[in-house]
Coordinates of all heavy atoms in Angstrom, one line a residue:
F33 N 121.9 89.2 88.9 CA 122.6 89.5 90.1 C 122.7 91.0 90.3 O 122.4 91.5 91.4 CB 123.9 88.8 90.1 CG 124.9 89.3 91.2 CD1 124.8 88.7 92.5 CD2 125.8 90.2 91.0 CE1 125.6 89.2 93.5 CE2 126.7 90.6 91.9 CZ 126.6 90.1 93.2
F34 N 123.3 91.7 89.3 CA 123.5 93.1 89.4 C 122.1 93.9 89.5 O 122.0 94.8 90.3 CB 124.2 93.7 88.2 CG 125.7 93.4 88.3 CD1 126.4 92.6 87.5 CD2 126.5 94.1 89.2 CE1 127.7 92.4 87.5 CE2 127.8 93.9 89.4 CZ 128.5 93.0 88.5
S35 N 121.1 93.4 88.8 CA 119.8 94.0 88.9 C 119.2 94.0 90.3 O 118.8 95.0 90.9 CB 118.8 93.4 87.9 OG 117.6 93.9 88.0
E36 N 119.3 92.8 90.9 CA 118.8 92.6 92.3 C 119.7 93.4 93.3 O 119.2 94.0 94.2 CB 118.8 91.1 92.6 CG 117.7 90.4 91.9 CD 117.8 88.9 92.1 OE1 118.7 88.4 92.7 OE2 116.8 88.2 91.7
L37 N 121.0 93.4 93.1 CA 121.9 94.1 94.0 C 121.6 95.6 94.0 O 121.5 96.3 95.0 CB 123.3 93.8 93.6 CG 124.4 94.3 94.5 CD1 124.4 93.6 95.9 CD2 125.8 94.2 93.9
L38 N 121.5 96.2 92.8 CA 121.2 97.6 92.7 C 119.8 97.9 93.3 O 119.6 98.9 94.0 CB 121.2 98.1 91.2 CG 122.6 98.1 90.6 CD1 122.6 98.5 89.1 CD2 123.6 99.0 91.4
A39 N 118.8 97.1 93.0 CA 117.4 97.3 93.5 C 117.4 97.3 95.1 O 116.8 98.1 95.7 CB 116.5 96.3 93.0
E40 N 118.2 96.3 95.6 CA 118.3 96.2 97.1 C 118.9 97.4 97.7 O 118.4 98.0 98.7 CB 119.1 94.9 97.4 CG 119.4 94.7 98.9 CD 120.3 93.6 99.2 OE1 120.5 92.7 98.3 OE2 120.8 93.5 100.3
H41 N 120.0 97.9 97.1 CA 120.7 99.1 97.6 C 119.9 100.4 97.4 O 120.0 101.3 98.2 CB 122.1 99.1 97.1 CG 123.0 98.1 97.8 ND1 123.0 96.8 97.5 CD2 123.9 98.3 98.8 CE1 123.8 96.2 98.3 NE2 124.4 97.1 99.1
L42 N 119.2 100.4 96.3 CA 118.3 101.6 96.1 C 117.3 101.7 97.2 O 117.0 102.8 97.8 CB 117.6 101.6 94.7 CG 116.6 102.7 94.5 CD1 117.2 104.0 94.5 CD2 115.9 102.4 93.1
K43 N 116.7 100.6 97.5 CA 115.7 100.6 98.6 C 116.3 101.0 99.9 O 115.7 101.8 100.7 CB 115.1 99.1 98.8 CG 114.0 99.0 99.8 CD 113.4 97.6 99.9 CE 112.4 97.5 101.0 NZ 111.9 96.2 101.1
L44 N 117.5 100.5 100.2 CA 118.2 100.9 101.4 C 118.5 102.4 101.4 O 118.4 103.1 102.4 CB 119.6 100.2 101.6 CG 119.5 98.7 102.0 CD1 120.8 98.0 101.8 CD2 119.0 98.6 103.5
A45 N 119.0 103.0 100.3 CA 119.3 104.4 100.2 C 118.1 105.2 100.4 O 118.1 106.3 101.1 CB 119.9 104.7 98.8

Side-chain angles (χ1 to χ4, degrees):
F33 168 81
F34 279 112
S35 176
E36 290 173 351
L37 188 67
L38 291 175
E40 175 186 343
H41 282 77
L42 174 59
K43 184 177 176 185
L44 286 169

